[in-house]
Amino acid sequence: MSAANQPAAGETEEMQEFLAALPSQHVEPLWSQMSMMVPPTPNPAAKAHIWKYEDTLPHLESAGRLVPEEKAERRVLMLVNPNLKSPFTTDTIYAGLQLVNPGETAPAHRHIAFACRFIMDGDGFTAVEGKKMPLTRGDVVVTPVWHWHDHGNESDKPVIWLDLLNLPLFTYARVNFAENYASPRYPSELQDPCEWRHPWTKPLSEILAMQAESIDIGHATEETRDAASFVYHCYEGEGRTEIESPSGEKSVFQWKARDTFAVPAWSKIKHFNESKAEKAYLVACHDGPFLDNLGLRKPVM
């Protein structure tokens, strides 16, 4: 008998018999779970968490030495939320750090999931549907649904970026899959500018959005709260972010360039620039467009 069908103290014998008979028909009473199904506030399972780049980079570099490109296909360390398992960085967003060594190619494929990438270090390229684009620090590159794409590195140093996809959604809607191209590279020609490359600007998407925020020296942002969940990445500067989750749990993250942190939905967020010498720049990926399209996004507060 499930917890929903457990008899409560004071219930009549007839009610107990009624509840005991439900599991055999694979039905359950909604009234015993109404507060869980329709809670008073958004109730994300993810918790706020920060991944310090200086702690993660050595492991990514080790993967670059130990994992050959022909075995990895995509050499990525997933950023897994401590309250969940992969592919959850937040309840709706997956994030991972990808490294491509000099001379390597991440082979061409296409998939149902939508992807965007924020370039953290080095110089590489990505090609989407035959359009080859240079990648450099600060760029955002979008890979729309079911578009052939591959990545590579023609420089003499590794290139590293932050992958951001809507993979958690497919643990519920199990319709994501990938198709590999017959060759490692999809035929492409250099194109710059390209509609899928956005050098430090806001890309257009109906699934995931990217935004850039600047915080002046010694200043703090207004406190905000949104039904969207966020993955933040520090591009430059240093500071801290104060987060209060819907459950009331409070977190304070000290960040600097190349650190990444997750913010669950409906959390209160406030950023502080603690530098006395430079502005702080944060880039964020959020699932607002997806929620908007389904009519699920409560107005920003």
Side-chain angles (χ1 to χ4, degrees), residues 123-169:
D123 295 287
F125 71 85
T126 194
V128 179
E129 286 293 328
K131 298 178 180 180
K132 182 180 177 183
M133 297 158 275
L135 303 179
T136 190
R137 176 164 164 73
D139 287 353
V140 171
V141 174
V142 175
T143 307
V145 170
W146 207 239
H147 281 45
W148 290 111
H149 59 281
D150 53 76
H151 318 291
N153 185 350
E154 297 169 333
S155 75
D156 59 357
K157 295 180 181 179
V159 59
I160 298 173
W161 61 76
L162 180 67
D163 282 325
L164 299 147
L165 293 88
N166 60 327
L167 290 178
L169 300 178

Side-chain angles (χ1 to χ4, degrees), residues 29-93:
L30 173 62
W31 58 87
S32 64
Q33 302 185 60
M34 182 64 77
S35 61
M36 180 184 70
M37 298 288 188
V38 189
T41 66
N43 189 30
K47 67 178 293 184
H49 187 75
I50 188 168
W51 291 266
K52 302 292 288 183
Y53 190 62
E54 62 187 5
D55 297 331
T56 309
L57 179 60
H59 300 290
L60 190 61
E61 291 175 331
S62 293
R65 294 192 303 271
L66 298 173
V67 182
E69 63 172 320
E70 62 270 16
K71 289 187 177 181
E73 184 172 347
R74 297 294 193 267
R75 189 187 291 107
V76 180
L77 291 183
M78 299 183 291
L79 306 185
V80 182
N81 195 279
N83 268 16
L84 298 165
K85 59 183 181 180
S86 61
F88 293 89
T89 306
T90 74
D91 289 74
T92 55
I93 302 173

Side-chain angles (χ1 to χ4, degrees), residues 5 19-27:
N5 296 334
L19 293 173
L22 298 181
S24 65
Q25 302 302 312
H26 303 287
V27 296

